[in-house]
Amino acid sequence: MNETAREIMLYDAQKKSTGVAYLWWFLLGFLGAHRFYLKRPGSGLVQAIANIGGTWLAFRDMSNTAGWVLAVIGGLWVLVDVFLIPGMARAYNTVLAERLTATP
């Protein structure tokens, strides 16, 4: 097998799909699952903390403004991700292709 075929096979095995990312967003977007899938664990963790923590704080004490603000920001962030997912997947796949084709 030549090097180009090997690189293509590795790329196909490791690339991220926009459709799968949208599925994760739809099912567990409030936990940042789509960001974990797209290899962005830092922002995925922050998104999960914002959504879980904000919701918990807001419903524990309905007059807790900080909880409501955090929950709303987390929720809006998840909605904005609908538009950001294609770019995140493309960016990951581009870096992957560059890494696989880099000459040692």
Side-chain angles (χ1 to χ4, degrees):
M1 174 181 347
N2 64 19
E3 189 63 26
T4 303
R6 181 180 175 282
E7 290 169 354
I8 291 171
M9 288 174 53
L10 285 172
Y11 175 78
D12 283 340
Q14 297 177 27
K15 72 180 179 181
K16 299 300 178 187
S17 163
T18 303
V20 173
Y22 276 121
L23 182 63
W24 280 116
W25 174 86
F26 182 75
L27 295 173
L28 295 170
F30 66 97
L31 294 175
H34 55 289
R35 287 184 169 268
F36 285 103
Y37 170 73
L38 293 169
K39 301 296 184 191
R40 295 175 180 248
S43 59
L45 184 62
V46 172
Q47 197 170 55
I49 290 170
N51 284 310
I52 293 170
T55 303
W56 180 74
L57 286 172
F59 285 109
R60 186 178 63 103
D61 178 11
M62 295 300 262
S63 63
N64 187 338
T65 306
W68 284 104
V69 169
L70 191 60
V72 168
I73 289 172
L76 289 175
W77 188 7
V78 171
L79 291 177
V80 168
D81 274 355
V82 168
F83 303 102
L84 299 179
I85 285 174
M88 288 189 286
R90 189 170 33 257
Y92 175 83
N93 290 337
T94 301
V95 169
L96 175 64
E98 290 171 356
R99 183 173 53 88
L100 291 174
T101 57
T103 56

